[in-house]
Amino acid sequence: MTDRVLIEGSEAMARAAVAAGCRFFTGYPMTPFTELLEHMASLLPEVDGVCMNAESELEAVGMAWGAATTGHLAATGSTGQGLSLMQESLSEITNARLPLVVFNMARGQGDYFQATRGGGHGDYRHIVLAPMDIPEAVELTRLAFELASQWRTPVMVLGDYYLAHTYQAVSVPSIGGADPELPDWALNGSSGGSGAAKIISPLGGGVEGEEGFDLGAHYAACAAHIQEMSAGVDPLVDIGFCEDAELVVAAYGSVGKFVRYACLRLRDDGHRVGYVRPITLWPFPSEAVRDAIAGAAKVAVYEQNMGQMVEDVRLATLGAVPVEFIGGPSWDHSGFGIGPDINVPDISECILRAMQ
Amino acid sequence: MSSDHIFISTDLPPEEPASLVDDFTPSLITQANHHLCPGCGEPIAIRAAVEAVEELELAQRTITVFGIGCYTAFAHNLDVEVVQALHGRAPSVATGIKRMLPNGFVMTIQGDGDMVNEGLQEVLHAAARGENITCLLLNNGVFGETGGQMTTTTTLGQRTKTSIEGRDPHQHGHPILLSDLAATMDGAAYVARCAVNNAGNVARTKRYITKAYESQMAGAGFSLVEILTMCPTGWFVDTLEGPDYLQDTLAPVHNIGELKTP
Amino acid sequence: MSYGERELMLTGIGGQGVQLAAQVIAQGATAEGKEVLVFGSYGGMMRGGNSDSTVVISDQPIEAPPVLSTTWSAILMHHQFWAPLKERIRDNGLVLVNTSVFEDELVADRYQVVEVPATDVATDLGNPLLAAMVMSGVYGRKSGLVSLAGLAEGMRRSVPPYRSQLIEANEAALAAGWEMAA
């Protein structure tokens, strides 16, 4: 008997979030994000945290924004649809330099651009992590809170229906730990009346009309910070069999796990195929992808959409080899991105066709 | 000539220095100058709001969440902690803060475009939830910052840049009476409407704001003070006509008084 | 080729305990230190619709994605929704059939078929709803993947609190299945 538990992906991520110090969570039910919200609602009271069933996604992200200004680790989430509603705030939260973890339990893979391009207005990006299964999701959830605090930025964990609803035996961290220390920028009211009360604003600090208040300067500082993150966040990537591969297949997330499995089996049958699976989608692991395809004759990109990450792969490889898109949107009648097309034999067929 | 006549000697320096604007500025406003228009009612309302914070000794536990409008300029001029929110979204941001700092004093400052147009559901949901925060609505019936367009609180017949011949219910619909709406919510503890167009109303504004703050500190639930403010620029009237215009145009529809008390 | 991974696909109709059997076997294997993955699907309604589940058990970290096209073993609780599974069972696969209700042809020479009158046995034990537990007992022994003690532990972890009065009967049904597989 071991201390490992068989646990649903949603619950595993919720436990990992609370274990990482998350003390505020809010969301609006929507498949396949709902169970994450339910698990947070039952877990957070155990650590004197707060979970709110917000009246809308607009309000969920607003509440998370407010909670984040107090320095407590906060998180919210939805599906890509709900994330569309949250984007205005996510853009401003990024410019307000606040840590926040956002769980996007997407329906299929149509939201890659939304996730990686800064889905709202303005010139911003935030970190995006895409786990392929539950053990990796547990680890990346911990990392998401760490990166959010370190860089004072929203970090998105991009999952899907498979991740939310699969059960897997994993070791999950216990949730009883001490509350994380609050950062010195956090608000609690106490700097009022000091002559220099704190302000947290997407428009920057300083006194209007005086030196220090300059929206242009603030946006320039935000842009510099994004450049710094782009260069400073360790890109994560999973690479297999690329040394002698004729064809390298790129894929991410749960679909990446299907592709990985297809490649393992094709290898067993003697096909010289390798795979590269970006885990940080922003910053995109361009260098690792470039290295992985160095000896290949061709790169194929499998995504459950019309072709989005394929653009990042093309940018990473800069014409070194032909890059072919071999995926397509989900046929799933429920719209949840679990179409019958997502299966190992069909994906293997696509890969073999690309090899010809 | 009677003997108690005061004589001012001009060949000596005055016994006390002359009064400056700063001398009349509440200590929680860090900068005496603001660049809002002459005759604007918003600085009067904000002054009342921070004076009440000081008088109730809440300065070191206050977090103020600002919406987006002309009044946003004060987000950078106050000596209380401030969170700048998006247009309409201040009540949910305040909710997140209050839930993590239940002993803090949390308020929002929003205009009618912010609270009643863009963020109507936010303030009503916060009221229904009985969220223990105080929302201040600065209602002048127009979008001041963008130059005088119609908002949801613009009264029938009121002329704005987007209701040139006056607000017509057939074309533009009817005004929303936000405080009346909020007062119907079971979670609302204190709801009142006042104005800053004359000395009596300014005193009343201060009194209502104080009661709203006390209500929050007593944990009674949601509180809202709607303050009718002058916007002579956005109304296209002379600066000095602002107070009367408010009295004639806004006040007959948005009735002044306490709508709900704990 | 399965990388030491043993797949099990279960099919039946909602209400037969298909999801519970998958949970019991998976929880039992987890309790015994195995790597386990489960992905279930059921047709919206709790009773009467299709109910399928996939379980993967391994000694190594699992490479398989949640949806598989072939399987090493299968539990057929009912024939109504079993057609898609037919071709997925690999040659010589272990196939447990609930002969009490299953009414379809099985190509016996392609599979290792184990006939289990699970619903009848369960009825004799006092409750036809125990059929899935009987089947799980048989599966544990025939597959060699989970011990009887492991199944019992898995069952205790899987039964919701409002069904705790059934724990004893479930345990008896698991044991009965285990004995039948001797």
Side-chain angles (χ1 to χ4, degrees):
Chain A
M1 307 280 162
T2 72
D3 63 342
R4 293 177 330 133
V5 288
L6 183 70
I7 193 169
E8 193 182 24
S10 299
E11 185 179 359
M13 291 169 84
R15 287 196 170 272
V18 178
C22 179
R23 292 296 177 267
F24 184 90
F25 191 83
T26 175
Y28 184 87
M30 185 167 183
T31 304
F33 162 75
T34 309
E35 287 78 5
L36 185 56
L37 174 61
E38 289 174 355
H39 287 296
M40 291 305 271
S42 77
L43 287 174
L44 276 172
E46 289 181 33
V47 292
D48 293 326
V50 176
C51 181
M52 297 192 71
N53 188 145
E55 292 88 349
S56 70
E57 285 89 352
L58 293 172
E59 285 151 296
V61 71
M63 290 174 190
W65 178 347
T69 65
T70 67
H72 293 280
L73 291 178
T76 183
S78 186
T79 67
Q81 285 82 342
L83 260 298
S84 288
L85 286 170
M86 294 186 180
Q87 291 299 341
E88 187 190 20
S89 286
L90 289 178
S91 170
E92 299 295 328
I93 291 168
T94 307
N95 281 347
R97 298 292 312 280
L98 284 168
L100 181 71
V101 172
V102 180
F103 293 94
N104 182 357
M105 307 310 281
R107 297 178 173 186
Q109 295 196 309
D111 305 328
Y112 179 90
F113 283 153
Q114 183 201 52
T116 59
R117 265 55 178 174
H121 63 282
D123 198 5
Y124 76 100
R125 298 285 194 278
H126 54 60
I127 299 167
V128 183
L129 309 172
M132 68 167 180
D133 62 9
I134 298 170
E136 198 169 274
V138 168
E139 172 54 22
L140 292 183
T141 298
R142 184 199 62 73
L143 180 64
F145 283 95
E146 191 182 300
L147 290 172
S149 296
Q150 181 189 344
W151 293 95
R152 291 180 61 180
T153 179
V155 177
M156 180 179 287
V157 180
L158 180 58
D160 63 3
Y161 189 97
Y162 292 115
L163 186 63
H165 290 165
T166 304
Y167 284 76
Q168 212 169 333
V170 286
S171 297
V172 285
S174 62
I175 62 169
D179 282 13
E181 226 170 274
L182 297 178
D184 54 9
W185 52 259
L187 301 188
N188 59 17
S190 65
S191 71
S194 66
K198 295 173 184 171
I199 176 169
I200 293 181
S201 168
L203 310 174
V207 175
E208 191 159 1
E210 288 190 353
E211 205 176 332
F213 180 86
D214 184 335
L215 204 45
H218 177 64
Y219 287 154
C222 289
H225 177 248
I226 284 161
Q227 294 291 334
E228 210 180 309
M229 279 201 295
S230 171
V233 174
D234 283 338
L236 300 173
V237 62
D238 171 21
I239 292 170
F241 310 118
C242 286
E243 305 78 28
D244 65 341
E246 289 167 15
L247 177 78
V248 170
V249 189
Y252 75 92
S254 292
V255 171
K257 185 153 188 178
F258 282 85
V259 167
R260 209 166 164 271
Y261 193 66
C263 288
L264 291 174
R265 295 195 152 199
L266 290 170
R267 269 279 158 181
D268 289 337
D269 296 342
H271 299 285
R272 282 169 60 189
V273 56
Y275 66 84
V276 52
R277 181 175 62 86
I279 298 170
T280 47
L281 300 186
W282 195 91
F284 193 75
S286 300
E287 225 174 276
V289 170
R290 196 157 54 239
D291 292 349
I293 60 100
K298 190 174 174 184
V299 177
V301 181
Y302 190 95
E303 298 173 77
Q304 199 182 12
N305 57 34
M306 295 287 286
Q308 298 187 21
M309 187 180 77
V310 63
E311 294 189 2
D312 283 336
V313 174
R314 286 196 175 117
L315 285 170
T317 53
L318 287 174
V321 291
V323 176
E324 185 186 344
F325 180 70
I326 60 169
S330 173
W331 315 336
D332 178 16
H333 64 85
S334 73
F336 295 156
I338 45 173
D341 44 332
I342 300 300
N343 66 72
V344 173
D346 285 4
I347 292 172
S348 301
E349 276 298 307
C350 292
I351 294 172
L352 285 173
R353 268 201 306 276
M355 290 190 86
Q356 282 160 12
Chain B
M1 260 170 76
S2 65
S3 60
D4 59 355
H5 232 94
I6 297 168
F7 290 93
I8 297 173
S9 170
T10 54
D11 53 356
L12 289 171
E15 285 175 25
E16 287 181 19
S19 296
L20 303 172
V21 174
D22 261 346
D23 300 334
F24 302 103
T25 304
S27 68
L28 293 178
I29 293 181
T30 52
Q31 199 189 17
N33 303 316
H34 59 74
H35 62 207
L36 301 188
C37 306
C40 175
E42 290 179 348
I44 307 170
I46 288 172
R47 177 186 181 122
V50 296
E51 278 178 353
V53 166
E54 195 169 10
E55 285 164 19
L56 295 177
E57 297 183 340
L58 296 172
Q60 289 180 315
R61 57 204 292 193
T62 294
I63 298 181
T64 304
V65 185
F66 271 86
I68 296 285
C70 298
Y71 53 88
T72 303
F74 276 89
H76 296 266
N77 289 1
L78 300 187
D79 197 18
V80 293
E81 292 187 0
V82 164
V83 175
Q84 178 63 56
L86 268 168
H87 197 54
R89 310 284 151 224
S92 59
V93 174
T95 296
I97 296 169
K98 185 70 180 187
R99 293 292 176 121
M100 296 315 278
L101 296 172
N103 295 321
F105 174 74
V106 182
M107 66 167 163
T108 72
I109 296 179
Q110 305 171 262
D112 46 315
D114 188 288
M115 186 188 284
V116 194
N117 279 56
E118 194 86 1
L120 181 62
Q121 68 167 7
E122 298 246 346
V123 70
L124 292 180
H125 283 150
R129 222 187 291 124
E131 205 64 50
N132 197 26
I133 58 173
T134 302
C135 292
L136 302 183
L137 165 60
L138 313 181
N139 182 7
N140 54 23
V142 285
F143 286 102
E145 197 176 23
T146 48
Q149 299 79 20
M150 185 183 70
T151 71
T152 47
T153 69
T154 300
T155 56
L156 293 183
Q158 188 181 338
R159 293 180 63 182
T160 71
K161 273 189 180 166
T162 47
S163 57
I164 299 289
E165 300 303 323
R167 183 172 190 166
D168 171 3
H170 302 294
Q171 193 185 345
H172 309 110
H174 295 266
I176 293 174
L177 312 183
L178 195 265
S179 290
D180 301 73
L181 202 51
T184 66
M185 301 282 167
D186 287 343
Y190 183 80
V191 180
R193 191 187 282 116
C194 45
V196 291
N197 61 331
N198 60 48
N201 276 342
V202 171
R204 187 204 296 260
T205 295
K206 178 82 170 294
R207 203 160 65 239
Y208 288 175
I209 288 176
T210 303
K211 285 169 102 168
Y213 291 2
E214 285 169 343
S215 151
Q216 178 182 158
M217 294 321 290
F222 181 80
S223 49
L224 168 72
V225 180
E226 174 177 344
I227 307 156
L228 304 180
T229 57
M230 294 77 76
C231 183
T233 308
W235 293 341
F236 307 100
V237 302
D238 284 349
T239 302
L240 293 177
E241 286 172 22
D244 287 342
Y245 184 92
L246 184 153
Q247 197 66 41
D248 298 341
T249 309
L250 289 183
V253 178
H254 302 280
N255 291 311
I256 288 168
E258 288 183 311
L259 289 99
K260 192 168 187 186
T261 53
Chain C
M1 190 49 223
S2 67
Y3 307 93
E5 292 177 4
R6 295 286 184 235
E7 308 90 349
L8 163 64
M9 289 187 186
L10 304 93
T11 180
I13 54 179
Q16 278 193 303
V18 168
Q19 302 300 328
L20 179 64
Q23 279 289 322
V24 167
I25 293 165
Q27 289 281 11
T30 303
E32 294 188 318
K34 297 274 208 307
E35 297 287 344
V36 182
L37 178 147
V38 187
F39 188 73
S41 71
Y42 26 91
M45 62 210 93
M46 293 292 280
R47 290 173 191 171
N50 69 307
S51 182
D52 302 300
S53 189
T54 302
V55 180
V56 183
I57 298 173
S58 176
D59 292 327
Q60 303 294 323
I62 289 172
E63 298 289 359
V67 176
L68 290 169
S69 47
T70 70
T71 184
W72 177 78
S73 63
I75 291 179
L76 315 179
M77 291 299 293
H78 198 278
H79 53 270
Q80 196 174 336
F81 302 104
W82 104 283
L85 190 48
K86 249 181 234 184
E87 296 307 316
R88 293 187 180 174
I89 303 166
R90 292 201 288 272
D91 285 349
N92 211 28
L94 174 66
V95 178
L96 275 56
V97 192
N98 179 12
T99 50
S100 306
V101 293
F102 193 89
E103 292 172 4
D104 197 3
E105 292 297 306
L106 274 177
V107 189
D109 56 356
R110 196 164 91 73
Y111 316 126
Q112 295 177 52
V113 176
V114 180
E115 298 192 343
V116 185
T119 306
D120 294 332
V121 173
T123 307
D124 291 346
L125 286 169
N127 186 347
L129 292 178
L130 295 170
M133 291 300 98
V134 173
M135 213 56 150
S136 302
V138 175
Y139 185 80
R141 194 157 190 176
K142 285 286 180 195
S143 68
L145 293 174
V146 201
S147 73
L148 181 58
L151 289 169
E153 171 63 20
M155 181 269 297
R156 281 190 292 272
R157 291 185 187 185
S158 308
V159 170
Y162 57 88
R163 291 268 164 79
S164 57
Q165 75 279 8
L166 293 177
I167 284 181
E168 225 170 285
N170 280 337
E171 215 159 315
L174 286 169
W178 186 269
E179 285 311 313
M180 288 172 68

